[in-house]
Amino acid sequence: MTHPIAVTAGEPAGIGPDILLMTAMQPQPVPLVAIADRDLLADRARSLNLDIRLVDAADPGAATTGYPAGTLAVRHCPLRRPVTAGQLDPHNAPYVLETLDIAIAGCLSGEYAAMVTCPLQKSVINDAGIPFSGHTEYLAEKTGTPRVVMLLAAGGLRVALATTHLPLADVPAAITRDSLTATLRILHADMQRRFGIPAPRIAVLGLNPHAGEGGHLGREEIETIAPVLETLRSSGMSLIGPLPADTAFTPRALKGVDTVLAMYHDQGLPVLKYAGFGSAVNITLGLPIVRTSVDHGTALDLAGKGTADAGSLAEAISQAVRMAKTG
């Protein structure tokens, strides 16, 4: 793979710039291009006492051989206002979205092999008057992708979500036969295309306690989930379930399983983050590009102090490299 990986720095007042700089101090498997304000990175490097060389991404070396540890190529995207670490400013919300737009356009054109995103602050973007529900939804809109699937990976475990950032009360109505079918098709296809698994085995959780207990604790399993699984099995997919969520993550249940599909955010992700918080990777499936992300937030209280952990970003970059090579 000769093309670089684009890394967006995320919320400028958070730890995104910190972990990006910390990561660039280590050897990388492929060239990286930071999509960020160059002065922001320089100021933050001084705060962190990091002796790092920032170079223009237009330098031919950035796109081919890359730079050694301690040097970072930067595609300059100007801030709207100067930043103080730990202090949010809605005026910089357009800057954050512009960094994403640059990375997306570069991936679609083939300039970048993949994009990796540092954390952003959804609340401050909305405070700026820009409706924004998250990276995943934004990337889907900007790439014209009708449906995407959020998947997190850590410690040998992969968990995908049938619904993402919804109030719990809205989840049952959002799980329809059509939506679940589309989600499973994307998950199956990208397990093959992006992860190189020819015949993925997918464990599918039920929505209700004990997977509905034969209809006594809810009928979604009987009326929606099981019929979808039966239909897709007939097309050749290897699907297990619907399974009770409370026992689906035991070692015995996970044996031979390539990924788990949870019905909602807090059904699957607490287990995943327990398995590997700080090293987990957020992956968006179904896109025409490769996108991975850290599994944590902006940690405003840690920004500029040198105490942030860059492990998740390192894992996200490694995962993006593997996926770009496979897909």
Side-chain angles (χ1 to χ4, degrees):
M1 185 175 68
T2 58
H3 297 293
I5 299 286
V7 185
T8 58
E11 165 54 48
I15 62 169
D18 303 41
I19 60 176
L20 177 49
L21 291 163
M22 293 163 67
T23 299
M25 295 299 294
Q26 307 300 320
Q28 296 301 313
V30 298
L32 303 181
V33 173
I35 315 295
D37 183 288
R38 187 184 298 107
D39 293 334
L40 166 67
L41 294 179
D43 289 344
R44 196 64 61 87
R46 284 190 287 270
S47 297
L48 300 175
N49 198 28
L50 295 178
D51 184 14
I52 190 166
R53 175 174 170 248
L54 303 176
V55 299
D56 193 326
D59 184 317
T64 53
T65 58
Y67 291 99
T71 302
L72 178 62
V74 182
R75 165 64 162 84
H76 178 59
C77 179
L79 284 163
R80 304 308 191 262
R81 284 193 177 182
V83 167
T84 299
Q87 296 182 20
L88 297 172
D89 186 343
H91 288 91
N92 280 320
Y95 154 82
V96 174
L97 298 184
E98 186 181 356
T99 65
L100 295 179
D101 293 342
I102 292 169
I104 293 167
C107 287
L108 289 173
S109 71
E111 180 181 1
Y112 306 129
M115 64 181 287
V116 178
T117 55
C118 290
L120 51 71
Q121 188 89 9
K122 289 183 283 188
S123 61
V124 76
I125 296 175
N126 284 283
D127 288 344
I130 305 171
F132 185 84
S133 57
H135 271 121
T136 302
E137 296 82 358
Y138 189 81
L139 267 67
E141 178 186 351
K142 289 294 181 175
T143 59
T145 307
R147 177 176 291 275
V148 294
V149 175
M150 180 187 291
L151 179 142
L152 272 81
L157 179 64
R158 301 186 190 97
V159 178
L161 301 177
T163 60
T164 52
H165 301 119
L166 288 179
L168 189 57
D170 296 342
V171 169
I175 301 172
T176 65
R177 291 193 185 191
D178 287 346
S179 70
L180 188 56
T181 297
T183 295
L184 281 165
R185 289 193 185 281
I186 291 169
L187 181 56
H188 183 269
D190 269 10
M191 284 294 107
Q192 294 177 318
R193 178 175 62 146
R194 302 296 193 193
F195 290 86
I197 303 171
R201 298 187 75 232
I202 302 171
V204 181
L205 305 186
L207 173 65
N208 298 294
H210 302 174
E213 202 164 283
H216 294 287
L217 293 176
R219 297 192 57 81
E220 285 83 2
E221 289 77 13
I222 294 171
E223 297 176 357
T224 303
I225 302 174
V228 167
L229 301 189
E230 184 177 354
T231 298
L232 292 178
R233 287 188 192 108
S234 67
S235 69
M237 290 190 195
S238 179
L239 304 172
I240 307 161
L243 299 174
D246 61 345
T247 56
F249 291 100
T250 62
R252 180 177 178 181
L254 289 174
K255 187 176 182 179
V257 169
D258 295 300
T259 188
V260 176
L261 179 65
M263 291 297 109
Y264 56 93
H265 188 279
D266 284 11
Q267 184 185 53
L269 295 195
V271 179
L272 185 287
K273 293 197 175 188
Y274 177 79
F277 188 73
S279 63
V281 179
N282 186 341
I283 303 164
T284 307
L285 303 181
L287 294 170
I289 63 176
V290 172
R291 180 262 174 164
T292 67
S293 181
V294 297
D295 74 332
H296 55 74
T298 54
L300 296 170
D301 59 322
L302 301 181
K305 298 179 179 177
T307 55
D309 186 345
S312 182
L313 180 58
E315 287 294 328
I317 292 168
S318 297
Q319 182 67 67
V321 170
R322 291 192 295 270
M323 292 174 66
K325 288 180 178 179
T326 302

